[in-house]
Amino acid sequence: MIYLPHTHEDIFSMLQVLGVDKLDDLFSTVPEDCRFNGDLNLPEAMNEWELNDHMSTLSHTMAVSPEYKVFLGAGSYEHFIPASVSYLLGRSEFVTSYTPYQPEMSQGTLQAIYEYQTLAARLLGMEVATASHYDGATALAEALLMAVRITKRKKVGISSLIHPLYRRVVQTYFEPAGYEVVELPYLNTGVTDATGLDEMDDLAAVAIQSPNFFGCIENLKALGQKTHDTNALFVVSFTEALAYGLLKNPGSHGADIVGGEGQSLGIPRSFGGPALGILASGKKHMRSLPGRLVGKTKDLDGKTGFVLTLATREQHIRREKATSNICTNNSLCALAAAMYMASVGGTGIRKLAQLNHDKAEYLKKELKKAGFTITFDSPTFNEFVVEFPTGFEANHKHLLEKKIIAGLCLAPYYPELSNHYLLCVTETRSKDDMDALVREVKS
Amino acid sequence: MKEISEINLPDDVRYAEDHEWARLEKDKIRVGLDDYAQDQLGDIVFVELPQVGDTFKQGEEFATVESVKAVCECYLPVSGKIIAVNTALEESPELVNNSPYGDGWFVEVNPGDLSEMETLMTHDACLEKLKGAE
Amino acid sequence: MKESLGTTGLLQNEPLLWEKGKKGRCGFSLPRRDVEPCSLDEELMGEGPDFPDLSELDVVRHYTRLAQWNFGVDTGMYPLGSCTMKYSPKTNEKQASLPGFTGAHPLLPSGLSQGALKIMFELEQYLNEITGMHATTLQPAAGAHGELTGMLMICAYHKKQGEQRSKIIVPDTAHGTNPASVSLCGFRPVPVTSNEQGILSVQAVSEIMDQDTAGIMVTNPNTLGLFEENIQKIAQIVHDKGGLVYCDGANMNAVMGVVKMGDIGIDVMQLNLHKTFSTPHGGGGPGSGPVSVAKHLESFLPVPRVVKENSAYILAKDYPDSIGKISAFHGAFGVIIKAYSYIRRMGPENLKKASQLAVLNANYIKEMLKGTLHLPYDRPCMHECVFSDKHQASQKISTLDMAKRLMDYGFHPPTVYFPLVVPGAIMVEPTETESKETIDQFIEAFKAIANEAVENPDLLHDAPKSCKVKRLDEVTAARKPCLAG
């Protein structure tokens, strides 16, 4: 087997050193009644060529571009990834190294993650970003737990326009500790209704997603103000990181903690994972942050270098009193995001974000012209909700056969919006794709 | 790390089991971390102190001290209310290493029961304990 | 001694990203604009982030140079204990980058994502078989995430029984994520000490197990590299008082095809795909931490679950006792593909072989180095062995000094200062993918270093010399953190 280098001679000479006859003898400390003496019931080993065929067949069953025109967003976005990024991510020194606990031989990872932390913080207008978390949902859950730790209050308010699956994760995280989650309703303009906040003075945090699940841009300035009036921390979440290439960032609106998803930044969708949880806060709350942090320092010769720092927050030192149990970050995904942000650049990201915005606006306009109602009045980024006539499910299925995925039906998540669909347009959809979609839904 | 004989244990303070020291200064008690503890911990990077006005019982956790790779909880050697906190430690935690009985002090306490000082170890008792643990 | 593996080479210095570039440069091919520009309300428009503008070559040189400062498994032996730094087969990368997988949206209708669902379903079956458990979830994105998931299920199980237990027993050899996961769930960790043989004793557990204890969290084999021989009796004690047994499966690489955890009393365990199942470590992630459970915990698994209906795969959500969701979507699918590919390539016999050879390599190192380094537990080990720096204390050489010097010899140091029960611990896990020649070089290097400790200790105190940087000032980094540029 090509990954197992031992020859018979190797094994024999090593067993001799150990004074035993066969490999089985090495398990003498495993009591007989703990031993499994059969064979594992698994399929026979494939060679590399059989595996290629097998996986290729499976991959062809999947509905992806360019064969399919997929107008789905909802927390997972199709964006172009430059060849240079994919190429650089293949460097085995990045791929096959471990957490940089021995900094002298991991300066590559450490500087790269320090750069990621900086760019992520700049994108969001915050002072400190961590080395990353598993995904946007867990980043949000950790942000809220952080707020609970800081304020010592046990209740949080979250907008019902935060991604439904993110809200589900928050609930799962909060359940055992007995913390309370209160949901804020939404207005018919497609943004959060925060009037209820006036009555709530016992919240650790208020969490708002912008652009929200409907693609609408929330009034973070007003919401931030209202939140701070109740002495709660203002937590902002997001699923489409590219939006901040164009929109005012959460930091400029007074966000105390930001927890969202960075998949749009150079990470393929990959059926939902691995993803990139981005978590950021002000320096003031730095020691309450969960997750790894890379810091800049100097070595014995005075040269600049990087190390993991503030490790006393973490599980390997603080154990049960740690700010979280997190050990892994999503390092390679953070690296991909840094490479992407470096490639797109400050000038490029604005152009790209503007293009995303404009493409979605075009589709909106064409659908309106074709007689459909755009459900919500508020400005949106690259996603929006459209109302299709009753019985549209049949059309939707029909469109699948034409290799068009016309958005996400909102019924399972918002039963009051049963004929409404969430459509997403990024820079990857052409005018022709959109014209074809409009033609098909009209007929 | 220092040898036992090199550890500085002044006479004008009393010592708790966990290496906090307490010094009676007129009607208040000043508290800090002793030389043995700071030496064992190594370079101190952060000290988390309570707020003025907080109250603690004798033996209750009131502060934490961090080095790069370790965290140490500190327990108040006498009960009372915190009346002053050494804010200099925020910028310069190394004061705990360099001057554990002087500028590296942690808090000043308005004591609830002065007799609690008698329950703490003298210089001699503390030295005995350190030698015994060797 | 032959020529050392470690040497010096030409490395380039490379500044930070924002110290390079010129305004107007771009490393991204902008897509064609085929729609009219649309203005957005001034109030909503930001100034855009302060990113540098770099050309493609700027970016490529930057990351190529940074990569060269790094050491990976592909560079040399990386014997980190309990991390299982085995070789990551390149065919796994190829499969994970197939466009049908990378381009897939997680909320595609199941009819249009059968390939992915089949891979998930089958991997769950394989992991059930390897662990001897009944059902598996692939949703947790890392080992610690899996631990949390397992703890959440234990919590839900007791709640369903109408009980609210407050404690979980955690051995002193446990990985830090264990007590941290316990706390996240609102439980209080209760420590139990291992005996002189380095394993848990039946008596110690029975003394603290009570009706208020929700369960015990064991690692088997444990972090000393020893098999928990008393596990069945311990599981019995815990079960008798209504508790559950969680096993941290981080060390599964020692026992594939040799022990089935489900058969020895384990109720729930997590696996680390980036350890046992060869997916690459990525410099600290992404990983994947599937959780496998016994039948009585199946109903608590996170949703959705992949189910086979007739001959098609669907995602089923209707599990009223489920703990809910712990990731937004289905887990780290891109990592899952690699583990699936690994298992298909290895097959049942080679998986067992891998465990046997991992144990062979570790015992060989233990035997060959036990004269040089102090061995606190001189017994057969499993896939890893633990030494300490006791022998070198008289030369005032610490584990840290030896670890740093090992870098100059071309090896990544083993895990140091863990587990906490051995002061100055050196935890070596070679894995089965290291050849005898490489291991012999490693042994030679450590022996040479032990000699240097006597003859020329400054070589160790000043190490490493051959890396991009010398030892770093971690004290200032913690006192005055500089976390962004």
Side-chain angles (χ1 to χ4, degrees):
Chain A
M1 207 291 149
I2 64 176
Y3 315 135
L4 301 175
H6 295 70
T7 62
H8 285 303
E9 292 78 32
D10 289 335
I11 296 175
F12 180 72
S13 63
M14 291 169 87
L15 287 174
Q16 277 213 305
V17 167
L18 297 174
V20 296
D21 289 325
K22 46 194 197 320
L23 287 170
D24 251 343
D25 295 340
L26 297 170
F27 293 86
S28 56
T29 57
V30 178
E32 207 33 62
D33 58 6
C34 289
R35 296 273 226 133
F36 168 67
N37 291 311
D39 296 318
L40 286 174
N41 183 14
L42 294 170
E44 199 192 316
M46 280 180 168
N47 60 40
E48 200 173 313
W49 325 115
E50 287 164 343
L51 181 69
N52 283 350
D53 282 344
H54 178 70
M55 298 303 271
S56 177
T57 308
L58 290 177
S59 76
H60 283 123
T61 66
M62 309 291 292
V64 295
S65 304
E67 199 194 338
Y68 277 76
K69 305 300 169 194
V70 183
F71 290 87
L72 278 176
S76 181
Y77 303 94
E78 189 179 347
H79 289 289
F80 289 128
I81 299 174
S84 53
V85 172
S86 313
Y87 172 87
L88 290 166
L89 270 179
R91 288 290 300 219
S92 74
E93 302 95 325
F94 287 134
V95 177
T96 68
S97 57
Y98 188 64
T99 308
Y101 288 127
Q102 296 291 356
E104 299 88 348
M105 347 166 87
S106 327
Q107 287 298 295
T109 297
L110 286 163
Q111 178 167 328
I113 297 297
Y114 177 81
E115 290 170 342
Y116 157 78
Q117 284 173 193
T118 305
L119 295 178
R122 290 183 186 186
L123 180 68
L124 302 172
M126 304 296 284
E127 290 175 324
V128 181
T130 68
S132 74
H133 298 261
Y134 314 134
D135 67 2
T138 52
L140 175 61
E142 294 268 22
L144 291 169
L145 285 173
M146 185 173 156
V148 165
R149 274 198 301 279
I150 292 169
T151 61
K152 306 209 188 343
R153 292 177 180 178
K154 299 196 182 344
K155 200 158 129 191
V156 298
I158 68 177
S159 163
S160 54
L161 296 185
I162 288 185
H163 195 301
L165 300 176
Y166 283 29
R167 282 183 280 129
R168 196 70 193 84
V169 171
V170 169
Q171 262 169 343
T172 304
Y173 265 71
F174 271 43
E175 164 77 24
Y179 300 141
E180 218 186 308
V181 180
V182 171
E183 270 194 20
L184 305 173
Y186 65 92
L187 302 164
N188 59 13
T189 44
V191 293
T192 306
D193 177 2
T195 49
L197 280 182
D198 297 328
E199 318 293 301
M200 303 183 204
D201 59 354
D202 55 347
L203 296 176
V206 174
I208 305 286
Q209 177 183 318
S210 183
N212 62 33
F213 188 67
F214 296 157
C216 299
I217 301 165
E218 297 269 4
N219 184 347
L220 290 179
K221 184 167 175 199
L223 289 163
Q225 191 61 60
K226 243 185 146 65
T227 302
H228 287 142
D229 286 344
T230 71
N231 282 324
L233 292 177
F234 188 37
V235 172
V236 176
S237 185
F238 58 90
T239 54
E240 174 51 287
L242 200 60
Y244 293 113
L246 193 65
L247 306 175
K248 279 204 175 104
N249 58 47
S252 65
H253 291 299
D256 295 298
I257 313 172
V258 181
E261 177 59 58
Q263 175 266 319
S264 291
L265 306 171
I267 297 161
R269 290 196 286 199
S270 243
F271 207 52
L276 178 64
I278 304 184
L279 185 69
S281 77
K283 279 208 186 111
K284 143 175 187 197
H285 297 306
M286 177 175 73
R287 286 173 194 279
S288 297
L289 280 169
R292 299 204 176 112
L293 286 167
V294 175
K296 191 160 82 147
T297 186
K298 291 206 186 300
D299 80 347
L300 289 175
D301 287 344
K303 288 209 301 235
T304 301
F306 301 91
V307 284
L308 290 177
T309 192
L310 298 187
T312 46
R313 297 160 304 120
E314 295 188 72
Q315 47 77 26
H316 58 292
I317 292 176
R318 214 57 173 254
R319 298 175 72 88
E320 65 268 16
K321 294 191 184 158
T323 51
S324 169
N325 72 341
I326 192 170
C327 185
T328 298
N329 59 327
N330 270 14
S331 194
L332 205 61
C333 299
L335 186 56
M339 290 174 175
Y340 179 87
M341 290 189 274
S343 300
V344 176
T347 310
I349 199 170
R350 264 181 102 55
K351 291 192 185 146
L352 191 60
Q354 185 74 55
L355 186 58
N356 271 256
H357 170 263
D358 299 343
K359 292 233 187 200
E361 291 302 299
Y362 174 79
L363 182 60
K364 245 199 231 177
K365 197 173 64 164
E366 293 301 304
L367 285 168
K368 269 194 201 149
K369 274 206 309 223
F372 296 100
T373 313
I374 303 301
T375 318
F376 301 113
D377 216 357
S378 307
T380 59
F381 182 64
N382 62 7
E383 288 184 275
F384 58 90
V385 182
V386 64
E387 188 176 2
F388 284 133
T390 321
F392 184 74
E393 301 86 66
N395 286 49
H396 198 265
K397 270 208 178 72
H398 177 66
L399 281 167
L400 293 181
E401 281 155 40
K402 296 218 164 174
K403 314 234 166 153
I404 298 177
I405 301 185
L408 182 76
C409 179
L410 289 183
Y413 308 102
Y414 299 89
E416 69 278 14
L417 295 173
S418 53
N419 292 323
H420 300 250
Y421 284 71
L422 180 65
L423 290 170
C424 177
V425 184
T426 66
E427 80 278 9
T428 59
R429 292 284 77 80
S430 69
K431 179 170 173 295
D432 290 340
D433 294 336
M434 293 190 270
D435 289 340
L437 172 65
V438 177
R439 257 195 328 270
E440 294 297 334
V441 296
K442 240 167 79 169
S443 58
Chain B
M1 279 192 238
K2 295 187 188 177
E3 300 291 338
I4 303 275
S5 52
E6 295 170 315
I7 306 273
N8 182 19
L9 298 171
D11 281 320
D12 66 338
V13 303
R14 290 284 186 130
Y15 300 87
E17 289 286 324
D18 290 294
H19 301 288
E20 296 85 6
W21 57 261
R23 184 193 295 125
L24 182 58
E25 295 177 0
K26 295 214 191 123
D27 52 355
K28 62 177 196 280
I29 294 185
R30 191 180 294 267
V31 174
L33 200 63
D34 74 18
D35 193 34
Y36 175 79
Q38 73 74 21
D39 182 60
Q40 287 288 308
L41 272 169
D43 293 298
I44 308 271
V45 303
F46 184 70
V47 183
E48 191 174 358
L49 295 170
Q51 311 264 37
V52 170
D54 288 344
T55 53
F56 299 93
K57 291 204 274 282
Q58 186 183 38
E60 219 183 317
E61 187 187 323
F62 77 105
T64 55
V65 178
E66 294 179 19
S67 65
V68 172
K69 298 263 197 281
V71 181
C72 175
E73 282 93 23
C74 301
Y75 305 96
L76 204 58
V78 290
S79 358
K81 187 195 247 191
I82 308 292
I83 52 177
V85 153
N86 188 358
T87 50
L89 293 183
E90 223 178 282
E91 269 302 303
S92 312
E94 63 272 16
L95 288 171
V96 179
N97 296 116
N98 302 335
S99 175
Y101 303 102
D103 293 329
W105 63 277
F106 281 21
V107 295
E108 284 175 9
V109 181
N110 182 7
D113 179 1
L114 272 176
S115 71
E116 281 174 344
M117 284 290 279
E118 300 307 313
T119 64
L120 302 174
M121 294 185 282
T122 56
H123 155 95
D124 289 341
C126 188
L127 190 56
E128 275 309 301
K129 182 161 177 282
L130 283 178
K131 285 192 181 145
E134 242 192 331
Chain C
M1 202 183 103
K2 290 178 267 174
E3 216 172 82
S4 165
L5 253 188
T7 181
T8 52
L10 182 61
L11 290 182
Q12 311 274 32
N13 272 316
E14 179 63 16
L16 293 159
L17 282 170
W18 47 91
E19 292 169 347
K20 292 169 58 129
K22 279 212 165 93
K23 188 141 179 82
R25 279 194 190 152
C26 192
F28 186 93
S29 173
L30 280 167
R32 199 172 295 281
R33 173 175 272 286
D34 53 4
V35 296
E36 289 297 308
C38 245
S39 63
L40 195 62
D41 188 349
E42 278 289 305
E43 269 299 297
L44 300 171
M45 295 272 283
E47 284 164 14
D50 180 16
F51 289 172
D53 283 352
L54 302 159
S55 70
E56 184 171 313
L57 183 56
D58 281 335
V59 176
V60 171
R61 281 215 172 117
H62 183 83
Y63 287 103
T64 302
R65 288 172 180 169
L66 259 52
Q68 291 175 323
W69 307 342
N70 249 23
F71 184 100
V73 173
D74 285 5
T75 315
M77 184 171 162
Y78 213 120
L80 280 180
S82 276
C83 294
T84 312
M85 303 296 294
K86 67 170 75 180
Y87 172 69
S88 299
K90 303 317 172 208
T91 186
N92 298 352
E93 305 298 309
K94 182 189 162 95
Q95 311 313 335
S97 60
L98 288 169
F101 297 136
T102 57
H105 191 287
L107 301 176
L108 282 173
S110 15
L112 298 177
S113 49
Q114 287 296 291
L117 295 176
K118 182 174 159 98
I119 286 173
M120 289 174 62
F121 184 84
E122 289 184 350
L123 182 61
E124 286 179 14
Q125 304 299 303
Y126 304 155
L127 297 179
N128 289 342
E129 173 62 17
I130 292 167
T131 58
M133 306 293 263
H134 180 77
T136 295
T137 174
L138 302 174
Q139 215 182 95
H145 207 205
E147 287 174 35
L148 176 63
T149 307
M151 284 295 119
L152 287 170
M153 289 198 280
I154 289 178
C155 200
Y157 171 89
H158 286 295
K159 207 166 173 194
K160 181 103 188 171
Q161 310 274 319
E163 295 193 21
Q164 195 146 342
R165 301 190 178 207
S166 68
K167 305 182 287 193
I168 297 267
I169 300 171
V170 181
D172 53 357
T173 49
H175 191 271
T177 50
N178 288 183
S181 303
V182 164
S183 291
L184 260 181
C185 269
F187 289 121
R188 187 166 52 89
V190 173
V192 65
T193 321
S194 306
N195 62 21
E196 316 81 53
Q197 283 152 335
I199 57 173
L200 292 174
S201 72
V202 175
Q203 186 177 2
V205 175
S206 72
E207 270 166 20
I208 50 177
M209 180 62 203
D210 61 18
Q211 297 287 354
D212 187 30
T213 305
I216 186 170
M217 208 169 175
V218 299
T219 305
N220 193 21
N222 67 25
T223 56
L224 289 166
L226 305 170
F227 190 82
E228 288 288 358
E229 298 168 34
N230 301 316
I231 184 71
Q232 294 220 61
K233 290 212 182 73
I234 288 172
Q236 190 64 58
I237 289 169
V238 174
H239 289 150
D240 282 348
K241 296 237 166 96
L244 294 171
V245 182
Y246 181 96
C247 178
D248 181 337
N251 290 332
M252 194 67 204
N253 203 45
V255 291
M256 287 191 286
V258 178
V259 177
K260 278 198 178 187
M261 295 299 176
D263 294 344
I264 62 172
I266 307 300
D267 299 297
V268 48
M269 66 182 289
Q270 108 287 339
L271 293 162
N272 301 57
L273 297 185
H274 47 290
K275 294 184 180 185
T276 317
F277 298 97
S278 87
T279 75
H281 289 77
S288 173
V291 173
S292 299
V293 298
K295 197 162 169 60
H296 47 277
L297 286 174
E298 186 181 3
S299 58
F300 302 100
L301 286 170
V303 286
R305 297 191 51 200
V306 188
V307 189
K308 205 169 179 182
E309 212 161 75
N310 300 318
S311 50
Y313 300 94
I314 57 159
L315 285 166
K317 292 188 201 140
D318 192 12
Y319 294 93
D321 286 340
S322 164
I323 56 169
K325 285 185 87 36
I326 37 104
S327 290
F329 298 114
H330 314 306
F333 182 70
V335 176
I336 285 163
I337 300 178
K338 297 182 192 182
Y340 176 87
S341 301
Y342 177 73
I343 293 173
R344 297 306 309 252
R345 281 281 290 122
M346 293 288 275
E349 280 147 29
N350 286 318
L351 285 174
K352 179 169 178 174
K353 204 69 187 278
S355 285
Q356 291 176 319
L357 294 175
V359 172
L360 176 67
N361 278 354
N363 274 287
Y364 180 73
I365 289 178
K366 179 176 72 68
E367 205 49 41
M368 298 290 281
L369 278 180
K370 75 183 196 189
T372 311
L373 295 170
H374 172 246
L375 187 67
Y377 299 94
D378 194 353
R379 324 167 52 217
C381 62
M382 300 236 76
H383 64 313
E384 61 194 6
C385 57
V386 178
F387 297 101
S388 87
D389 56 0
K390 206 160 171 193
H391 289 337
Q392 283 72 28
S394 51
Q395 288 112 33
K396 298 247 193 251
I397 289 287
S398 68
T399 290
L400 188 73
D401 295 322
M402 290 193 280
K404 298 300 183 192
R405 184 60 179 152
L406 205 52
M407 292 186 212
D408 290 333
Y409 278 83
F411 293 93
H412 191 283
T415 298
V416 293
Y417 300 103
F418 183 81
L420 303 170
V421 295
V422 174
I426 301 167
M427 194 191 343
V428 184
E429 181 185 355
T431 83
E432 73 282 6
T433 56
E434 296 303 333
S435 67
K436 182 173 178 297
E437 308 90 85
T438 308
I439 291 181
D440 283 335
Q441 276 178 319
F442 175 75
I443 290 163
E444 288 270 321
F446 234 124
K447 287 188 170 164
I449 291 170
N451 261 349
E452 285 174 356
V454 176
E455 324 232 310
N456 193 353
D458 277 341
L459 281 175
L460 281 76
H461 290 305
D462 298 338
K465 285 230 174 76
S466 335
C467 298
K468 171 77 167 48
V469 293
K470 299 243 171 73
R471 292 200 204 183
L472 291 149
D473 184 358
E474 298 188 21
V475 173
T476 309
R479 280 185 184 157
K480 308 230 181 293
C482 173
L483 307 171

